Amino acid sequence: LRQRDDPPVENVRVWLGNDRSEVTDIFGYYRFTGVRGTKANISIDTTTLPNGYVVTVPVIQETTIANLGVRRIDFGIISRCEMSGFVFEDVNGDGEFSSKIDKPVKGIEITLENGRKGVTDGNGRYSIINMTAGPHTVTVNLKTVPVYYLPRVAISKKITLYEGVEYFYNVPLKRVQED
């Protein structure tokens, strides 16, 4: 079991029928040997998925059994957590993004502790999808902030993501006055 761009998911229980089960290894694989019959139902125990993950395919899959043949049944999973926000010049100094007053800033990187990142578009918006639930550290990459801006918030922040919830994190910037 594996989510795209993330490590495999281990310790997830997969069932063959109702009476045999295996647990995924550190590579996200499981294996049943000595399977008899012409058809088999393989299912994933969703209660053993890590927090924040859901199955993207049917939970029960039917396969045919061939003599001495090997069948591969994959279960796709994805995280339902995401984070987004705006990076903007906070013209009125209130810390809140207003598309009528504030100026969006393009090309700013917002990074996570695991190296994943979002980059602001022409509207100052970034997003990071398919994140895992749990604690994360969000950092504004200062190398991508133009020299005439200073962040009005800490450049690093610890957050906790919960399953099925989108976390919003805006980064207001202050234009530095030249003397």
Side-chain angles (χ1 to χ4, degrees), residues 44-136:
I44 186 169
D45 183 347
T46 57
T47 64
T48 63
L49 288 173
N51 287 338
Y53 285 91
V54 293
V55 180
T56 61
V57 297
V59 174
I60 300 173
Q61 297 187 40
E62 183 178 270
T63 187
T64 57
I65 307 295
N67 287 339
L68 303 176
V70 174
R71 292 275 191 240
R72 181 174 167 161
I73 304 294
D74 292 329
F75 291 92
I77 61 171
I78 192 167
S79 170
R80 294 191 295 177
C81 300
E82 61 184 71
M83 183 177 89
S84 66
F86 291 92
V87 179
F88 58 96
E89 180 182 340
D90 191 9
V91 175
N92 61 3
D94 68 354
E96 299 293 323
F97 180 66
S98 170
S99 60
K100 295 180 181 182
I101 299 169
D102 298 319
K103 298 177 184 174
V105 181
K106 181 180 180 180
I108 307 297
E109 286 183 4
I110 306 297
T111 61
L112 299 176
E113 74 289 343
N114 61 6
R116 295 194 60 198
K117 65 183 174 183
V119 179
T120 58
D121 61 16
N123 296 317
R125 187 176 195 288
Y126 73 92
S127 65
I128 304 172
I129 60 172
N130 297 337
M131 296 174 63
T132 57
H136 291 279

Side-chain angles (χ1 to χ4, degrees), residues 40 117 167 178:
K117 65 183 174 183
Y167 186 87
E178 294 182 29

Side-chain angles (χ1 to χ4, degrees), residues 103-166:
K103 298 177 184 174
V105 181
K106 181 180 180 180
I108 307 297
E109 286 183 4
I110 306 297
T111 61
L112 299 176
E113 74 289 343
N114 61 6
R116 295 194 60 198
K117 65 183 174 183
V119 179
T120 58
D121 61 16
N123 296 317
R125 187 176 195 288
Y126 73 92
S127 65
I128 304 172
I129 60 172
N130 297 337
M131 296 174 63
T132 57
H136 291 279
T137 301
V138 181
T139 303
V140 178
N141 183 345
L142 287 179
K143 292 179 181 178
T144 63
V145 177
V147 295
Y148 46 85
Y149 285 125
L150 289 174
R152 289 183 173 264
V153 295
I155 61 168
S156 260
K157 180 178 182 174
K158 292 190 182 295
I159 65 168
T160 301
L161 293 178
Y162 298 95
E163 180 180 355
V165 176
E166 182 176 5

Side-chain angles (χ1 to χ4, degrees), residues 22-47:
E22 292 289 334
V23 175
T24 57
D25 64 17
I26 62 170
F27 302 106
Y29 293 109
Y30 66 94
R31 181 182 184 126
F32 292 104
T33 59
V35 178
R36 299 181 194 274
T38 57
K39 290 187 179 182
N41 286 324
I42 308 293
S43 61
I44 186 169
D45 183 347
T46 57
T47 64

